[in-house]
Amino acid sequence: MLSNLAVRDIETLVHPYTNLATHRETGPLVLESGKGVFVTDSNGKEYIEGMAGLWCTSLGYSNQELVDTATEQMKKLPFTHIFGGRSHDPAIELAEKLKEIAPVPISKVFYGASGSDANDTQVKIVWYMNNALGRPQKKKIISRLKGYHGVTVASASLTGLPNNHIDFDLPLPGFLHTSSAHHYRFAEAGESEQDYSSRLAAELEEMILREGPDTVAAFIAEPVMGAGGAITPPEGYFEKINAVLAKYDILFIADEVITGFGRTGNMFGTTTYGMNADTISLAKQITSAYFPLSAVMMNDTVYQALVDQSRKIGTFGHGNTYAGHPVGCAIAIKTLEIYKRDKIVEHVRKVEPTFLRCLTALADHPLVGEARGVGLIGGVELVSNKASKAPFEAKKGVGAKSVLFAQEEGLITRAMGDRVAFCPPLIITEAEIEEMFSRYKRALDKTLNWVKAEGLLAA
Ligand SMILES: Cc1ncc(COP(=O)(O)O)c(C=O)c1O
């Protein structure tokens, strides 16, 4: 029996990333409040938020300092834009702080309001820059199958997931996808991680040569693939990719929308994996998700090209109303201050062994083929046969079923096909990590009973 709120939801909302047909029967999970790593629904049931919302509420759900900072900024200057050379203190101070902690030399910062628009900006900057440099044919962008970069027309074109393309008439021409980097699923029998990485780098090089290096402008990658299934890269992968990109003068865009700000046990995933990034997209944990804010950080070569071109054209004709919103920037400055003061990166490193021990212990379960992670992000892959790695038929929704059972057990997590992700708030304690995984273990046991009852296990 659906609650009154649920009925009103169904009659009024189109939900993002939702099966709009089944939603009419199942209705929403309505959350009402949050404290620390816990959220509470409209029936008073409490859950561990094992996904930090959408990989974003790093400081949890009840950070009073962020609330106070937002309130103060709202009272002082609730809005001003930064078009036409207008500015304000929080926008300037945040850019300075981001430059200070950037993992590679960064010259300037451009603000937006979402990860998608940051990656959209990346695409436009690459095109604009290459026009400025007098190479108008160097425009193609390579991303990876299973990579996720957002939902605008350009960022969804970068994304390598079928659901973001089918019937949206995407990707646009000029967006190419090379293989994802998932050793468990795609390595050949007996192939080491290093050899698999070499093969992927060679494949990327072949693609560049086939297309013509003077037509390929940029390559974009997440340090850890998020929406593709919480997939950590194989050993040596980015080192080998760096070399290919450098050889053909191809810009490296790091999409740190999930991994930025401590998630992988360093301030940035770029550092964790040694990525030679030229530009970096940031969002989500930049404000602990207390306000929509994103940023593109760029090196000086990119910046100088933008300056030259705007000298020629008369303007840099890009940007949105809420770019550098003073409330978002003030919250981000406070968030960065808390990360530093509370040693959040050190905390992630301290609890990482517990997280990885509990995560990898799931691999003993009959349904789990792979369990792997880094820092405080990881994924498990559910399979119908562990020895052959045979997947379940996608439409049986085994991953999604395990997430529903987890919800019963008081845990929110997320299935991407039959991969299930764990990405809790960075403030999580060791005891809460243990509790999170024991709830998921119970959910897996229920899933196994269901899978057996449905006859879904491969022989
Ligand atoms: C790596 C990555 N890039 C970009 C995006 C898009 O960000 P947004 O949803 O804020 O547009 C996401 C969202 O999850 C993401 O994970």
Side-chain angles (χ1 to χ4, degrees):
M1 178 58 183
L2 294 173
S3 69
N4 178 269
L5 207 53
V7 172
R8 283 165 52 206
D9 172 283
I10 290 167
E11 293 314 325
T12 50
L13 289 181
V14 176
H15 284 267
Y17 280 97
T18 299
N19 181 326
L20 300 177
T22 54
H23 181 72
R24 296 196 62 80
E25 276 116 54
T26 52
L29 169 67
V30 182
L31 297 179
E32 249 176 30
S33 61
K35 192 165 192 310
V37 301
F38 296 93
V39 288
T40 304
D41 72 15
S42 51
N43 297 317
K45 184 175 164 77
E46 195 179 69
Y47 307 83
I48 294 179
E49 229 307 357
M51 282 299 294
L54 286 171
W55 338 75
C56 51
T57 44
S58 43
L59 296 176
Y61 289 84
S62 49
N63 193 296
Q64 194 57 40
E65 285 180 280
L66 296 185
V67 175
D68 292 343
T69 300
T71 311
E72 278 157 34
Q73 186 59 45
M74 282 272 185
K75 285 183 185 158
K76 191 171 168 196
L77 183 67
F79 177 74
T80 182
H81 64 81
I82 56 172
F83 280 32
R86 208 174 279 191
S87 200
H88 56 83
D89 194 332
I92 298 164
E93 188 181 335
L94 177 60
E96 286 170 351
K97 296 232 145 60
L98 289 172
K99 282 182 62 172
E100 263 171 42
I101 60 170
V104 289
I106 288 300
S107 172
K108 301 290 178 289
V109 176
F110 181 88
Y111 294 120
S114 71
S116 297
D117 77 48
N119 286 328
D120 209 87
T121 292
Q122 293 276 18
V123 170
K124 289 179 74 179
I125 283 179
V126 166
W127 291 344
Y128 194 82
M129 178 191 93
N130 278 338
N131 288 330
L133 296 175
R135 41 190 204 189
Q137 75 293 352
K138 198 168 170 74
K139 295 286 168 58
K140 292 175 192 162
I141 307 191
I142 301 178
S143 58
R144 300 178 300 166
L145 294 169
K146 292 195 176 225
Y148 185 72
H149 304 291
V151 293
T152 62
V153 170
S155 63
S157 294
L158 295 171
T159 291
L161 293 166
N163 285 345
N164 296 105
H165 294 162
I166 296 168
D167 286 349
F168 288 114
D169 294 0
L170 295 173
L172 293 178
F175 290 83
L176 313 170
H177 296 89
T178 189
S179 292
S180 62
H182 187 193
H183 184 266
Y184 170 77
R185 193 36 77 199
F186 299 115
E188 285 160 8
E191 193 176 29
S192 72
E193 293 199 24
Q194 285 286 355
D195 288 348
Y196 174 59
S197 294
S198 300
R199 178 157 67 81
L200 292 181
E203 188 188 303
L204 175 65
E205 182 160 15
E206 276 160 33
M207 178 181 259
I208 293 165
L209 291 172
R210 198 167 55 241
E211 295 291 328
D214 56 354
T215 72
V216 179
F219 173 81
I220 182 167
E222 307 152 82
V224 176
M225 279 186 165
I231 300 166
T232 50
E235 272 169 37
Y237 175 73
F238 280 116
E239 198 184 306
K240 293 171 207 256
I241 295 292
N242 285 336
V244 173
L245 300 179
K247 189 165 167 192
Y248 299 104
D249 189 18
I250 292 171
L251 204 84
F252 194 170
I253 304 167
D255 183 346
E256 291 250 24
V257 166
I258 287 180
T259 49
F261 309 103
R263 178 59 62 187
T264 63
N266 286 296
M267 199 43 124
F268 295 97
T270 296
T271 306
T272 304
Y273 295 111
M275 297 160 72
N276 287 347
D278 297 288
T279 66
I280 298 178
S281 296
L282 302 171
K284 298 190 188 259
Q285 299 193 146
I286 193 171
T287 57
S288 184
Y290 279 43
F291 202 89
L293 180 79
S294 64
V296 168
M297 304 198 290
M298 65 192 86
N299 68 18
D300 204 48
T301 312
V302 175
Y303 172 67
Q304 287 307 332
L306 303 190
V307 173
D308 289 348
Q309 194 66 349
S310 95
R311 191 174 288 123
K312 203 162 91 195
I313 298 174
T315 185
F316 175 58
H318 177 65
N320 33 47
T321 303
Y322 299 124
H325 194 292
V327 178
C329 289
I331 295 174
I333 293 165
K334 181 55 83 176
T335 304
L336 297 187
E337 188 187 313
I338 296 171
Y339 289 158
K340 192 170 174 185
R341 183 196 68 205
D342 295 355
K343 302 191 168 41
I344 202 78
V345 171
E346 288 84 340
H347 174 74
V348 173
R349 287 195 191 155
K350 181 170 154 279
V351 301
E352 179 183 33
T354 304
F355 180 82
L356 294 181
R357 175 175 52 74
C358 296
L359 176 77
T360 54
L362 293 175
D364 295 336
H365 195 275
L367 285 179
V368 176
E370 185 192 36
R372 178 166 155 142
V374 63
L376 277 175
I377 182 168
V380 299
E381 183 156 335
L382 308 186
V383 291
S384 72
N385 183 315
K386 285 174 75 136
S388 69
K389 303 184 185 174
F392 289 105
E393 219 184 312
K395 67 170 189 263
K396 299 292 180 195
V398 176
K401 194 79 185 173
S402 84
V403 164
L404 279 180
F405 285 131
Q407 217 165 284
E408 275 180 18
E409 295 296 327
L411 168 65
I412 292 180
T413 180
R414 181 168 168 202
M416 289 149 295
D418 287 338
R419 287 189 69 85
V420 176
F422 298 88
C423 185
L426 301 181
I427 54 162
I428 196 166
T429 63
E430 280 157 314
E432 289 163 344
I433 290 172
E434 303 260 6
E435 181 57 27
M436 174 173 80
F437 284 108
S438 64
R439 291 182 189 189
Y440 189 64
K441 168 76 175 43
R442 292 200 293 277
L444 273 181
D445 292 340
K446 286 185 177 175
T447 311
L448 181 60
N449 289 339
W450 176 79
V451 157
K452 282 181 181 160
E454 297 283 312
L456 298 181
L457 280 183

